[in-house]
Amino acid sequence: MNHKLQKVSQWMKENDIQVSFITSPENVFYLSGFLSDPHERLLGLAIFQDEEPFLVCPSMEVQDAKNAGWNYEIIGYSDIDQPWELIHNSINKRLSHVQKVAIEKEHMNVERYEAITYLFNGATFVPAEEKLRKLRMVKDEYELKTIRRACELADYAIQVGCEEIAEGKTELDVLAAVEYALKKKGVNEMSFSTMVLTGANAASPHGTPGLTKIKKGDLVLFDLGVVVDGYCSDITRTVAFGDMDDKQKEIYDTVLQAQLKALEACKPGVPCSEIDLIARNHIREAGYGEYFPHRLGHGLGISVHEYPSLTETNSLLLEEGMVFTIEPGIYVPNVAGVRIEDDLYLTKDGVEVLTKFPKELQTIK
Ligand code: MN
Ligand code: MN
């Protein structure tokens, strides 16, 4: 078994869990190497303490799972099969008595929950997600290498976006050019819906790009990410189109200094809350506290939002090998919206910033 599956089996032994049945595509990928988007169909990975694991997937994906390097049993089911019966048979071949089953309670829907409780009548069901979130928090070398590539492409996307900015172009014009350029580089998927926001729209942390035209004196905010081999990047840059007034410059500089201070403080053993508060207090002291309405950052990997969560109350300690974002922002309605977001890797004594597009205010003439 691979290292990640072994850790799950170990956890199951410690907690007297006989079966883990993992159903979210992200965790199935993390543990098996098989990246699948099964749509509404069932995808599952069964893990045991000592017996061999098995995958269950639509039969048309069996070959893909093998190609992904999965060397154990695969149950492929057709659209007229009953996958739960097949799962039951495969588990019964390995174990006769199941008392405790771990499932992802947040992911499993009621229909599937009813099916699995029917199969393991009388068993207790415990959540698996917290353990998996902790395992996924620290990245191995392969994961880091993959995220690095996703970050390089995110930098490239920002560069394309900046070159595309011109008087009268809409947010969606620029967005389309960015995604077109990425597709030509072989990028199949973005981490989330790309954001290009300008003027008043940039003052909304989660705005929707539309037909607003870019005009001189506006800030343009890009927030985007690229998926490479199942791993995400996530970058935000805010650039100026033409000259900025003093207020806009002050807001930009406050966000930048907050971001740099937080980056400098990141080290193994420091609580997440401390990092959030370093940036938050800098913004508060500048008088913009109420305009920074979200956490400082989040882990990323297979999901664009995962552990650790950098909030002002999370006492979790940073650990070498974590990959997360630092993304302070100030959004003052009708004045300016600025966010600066980097992805970073926590080393044994500090951080390596993986997104490298310049952060000093870039002015596009
Ligand atoms: Mn982002
Ligand atoms: Mn983010």
Side-chain angles (χ1 to χ4, degrees):
M1 271 195 281
N2 72 44
H3 201 58
K4 291 162 181 161
L5 284 170
Q6 276 172 15
K7 283 184 178 166
V8 175
S9 291
Q10 185 57 37
W11 168 75
M12 291 169 64
K13 283 179 187 171
E14 287 160 10
N15 291 280
D16 201 25
I17 297 163
Q18 288 81 42
V19 182
S20 289
F21 194 72
I22 304 302
T23 50
S24 72
E26 295 83 8
N27 282 331
V28 170
F29 171 53
Y30 180 72
L31 295 167
S32 72
F34 174 45
L35 180 58
S36 163
D37 176 3
H39 302 282
E40 79 287 0
R41 293 186 178 94
L42 178 71
L43 172 74
L45 171 62
I47 307 165
F48 306 90
Q49 293 184 7
D50 298 304
E51 295 77 9
E52 289 199 344
F54 69 83
L55 262 178
V56 53
C57 66
S59 51
M60 59 189 156
E61 292 187 12
V62 168
Q63 194 55 46
D64 296 337
K66 286 182 184 163
N67 294 346
W70 181 255
N71 292 320
Y72 301 105
E73 184 183 355
I74 305 173
I75 302 174
Y77 63 89
S78 73
D79 289 333
I80 54 171
D81 286 333
Q82 294 296 330
W84 291 105
E85 268 178 43
L86 303 171
I87 292 163
H88 196 214
N89 294 341
S90 257
I91 292 177
N92 274 346
K93 273 191 271 168
R94 289 167 172 80
L95 297 175
S96 54
H97 195 58
V98 175
Q99 283 176 306
K100 209 196 264 188
V101 181
I103 54 172
E104 294 158 283
K105 294 194 173 184
E106 285 178 9
H107 179 262
M108 195 168 263
N109 62 33
V110 176
E111 186 180 87
R112 288 174 185 180
Y113 183 67
E114 284 177 348
I116 201 168
T117 50
Y118 181 74
L119 293 188
F120 300 110
N121 192 12
T124 313
F125 290 85
V126 297
E129 38 269 273
E130 190 64 11
K131 178 66 190 173
L132 286 161
R133 282 194 193 107
K134 285 182 179 156
L135 286 177
R136 279 170 55 177
M137 202 158 59
V138 173
K139 270 63 182 177
D140 65 24
E141 233 166 87
Y142 168 80
E143 293 180 293
L144 176 62
K145 201 176 87 186
T146 311
I147 295 170
R148 262 184 220 287
R149 282 166 45 220
C151 289
E152 282 167 18
L153 285 161
D155 285 335
Y156 169 72
I158 299 285
Q159 186 200 319
V160 171
C162 288
E163 286 164 7
E164 205 57 33
I165 291 173
E167 185 84 44
K169 281 196 186 172
T170 67
E171 295 165 335
L172 285 171
D173 285 334
V174 175
L175 189 161
V178 168
E179 294 199 349
Y180 181 72
L182 287 173
K183 289 266 186 288
K184 302 248 273 189
K185 286 256 183 196
V187 171
N188 165 46
E189 194 187 353
M190 304 302 287
S191 308
F192 50 88
S193 297
T194 299
M195 265 193 251
V196 178
L197 300 169
T198 188
N201 292 346
S204 162
H206 274 172
T208 307
L211 296 173
T212 304
K213 288 181 173 159
I214 300 170
K215 56 185 198 310
K216 280 275 162 80
D218 277 347
L219 287 161
V220 182
L221 185 151
F222 295 95
D223 188 353
L224 56 89
V226 174
V227 182
V228 170
D229 293 340
Y231 283 82
C232 299
S233 57
D234 184 7
I235 187 173
T236 307
R237 287 294 184 270
T238 310
V239 301
F241 183 48
D243 295 323
M244 294 296 109
D245 62 33
D246 289 346
K247 198 75 184 162
Q248 288 168 316
K249 281 185 200 157
E250 182 189 283
I251 290 171
Y252 191 92
D253 196 53
T254 305
V255 174
L256 179 58
Q257 293 310 317
Q259 210 253 4
L260 294 173
K261 275 188 176 177
L263 282 177
E264 205 166 303
C266 290
K267 276 185 201 59
V270 177
C272 291
S273 55
E274 195 174 311
I275 307 299
D276 179 282
L277 281 167
I278 285 169
R280 196 167 302 281
N281 287 337
H282 181 86
I283 290 172
R284 279 178 185 150
E285 280 156 25
Y288 294 104
E290 64 181 297
Y291 301 110
F292 176 24
H294 55 75
R295 62 180 171 181
L296 182 64
H298 54 85
L300 80 166
I302 296 169
S303 303
V304 72
H305 287 174
E306 49 184 66
Y307 276 11
S309 180
L310 280 83
T311 67
E312 58 186 306
T313 55
N314 187 0
S315 59
L316 181 85
L317 305 182
L318 294 181
E319 206 178 312
E320 184 181 352
M322 286 177 172
V323 172
F324 55 91
T325 70
I326 298 273
E327 49 178 306
I330 297 177
Y331 317 90
V332 184
N334 302 315
V335 179
V338 173
R339 179 166 65 252
I340 302 173
E341 173 178 32
D342 279 321
D343 301 345
L344 49 102
Y345 172 71
L346 201 79
T347 63
K348 64 181 191 312
D349 47 21
V351 293
E352 181 193 329
V353 179
L354 305 173
T355 38
K356 301 188 189 301
F357 193 87
K359 286 186 282 194
E360 310 79 59
L361 183 59
Q362 304 289 303
T363 302
I364 290 145
K365 293 288 176 193

